[in-house]
Amino acid sequence: MIAHKYTTDANLLLEKRKIQEWKQVFNDWFARCESKIPAKYREGIKENGDELFKELEQYGH
């Protein structure tokens, strides 16, 4: 939401390399904890994470 409102700031402050690093950390966490997450929430958490990183990847330099 903040990145949508302040796109110029988001582009200047976010680095694509950092966004990829965050995405990798999330995916590593999800792989480790997937079996501990209740099944009814598991897919939703993964989808929300993927959507968030897809949006973030539009920003950065």
Side-chain angles (χ1 to χ4, degrees):
M1 188 166 88
I2 292 172
H4 285 290
K5 185 170 183 176
Y6 304 104
T7 47
T8 303
D9 291 336
N11 281 325
L12 294 174
L13 296 175
L14 295 173
E15 296 179 22
K16 289 190 184 290
R17 175 182 55 83
K18 283 300 232 184
I19 296 169
Q20 290 301 316
E21 186 179 315
W22 298 336
K23 183 177 181 180
Q24 185 61 45
V25 169
F26 173 78
N27 287 332
D28 292 346
W29 167 83
F30 190 80
R32 283 191 316 270
C33 299
E34 182 176 8
S35 64
K36 298 175 185 174
I37 300 170
K40 65 181 180 179
Y41 300 118
R42 197 174 299 149
E43 191 62 33
I45 291 172
K46 181 65 172 154
E47 286 176 7
N48 286 338
D50 290 341
E51 284 179 36
L52 172 66
F53 289 112
K54 186 177 179 180
E55 284 185 43
L56 283 174
E57 288 170 345
Q58 296 174 20
Y59 303 103
H61 60 282

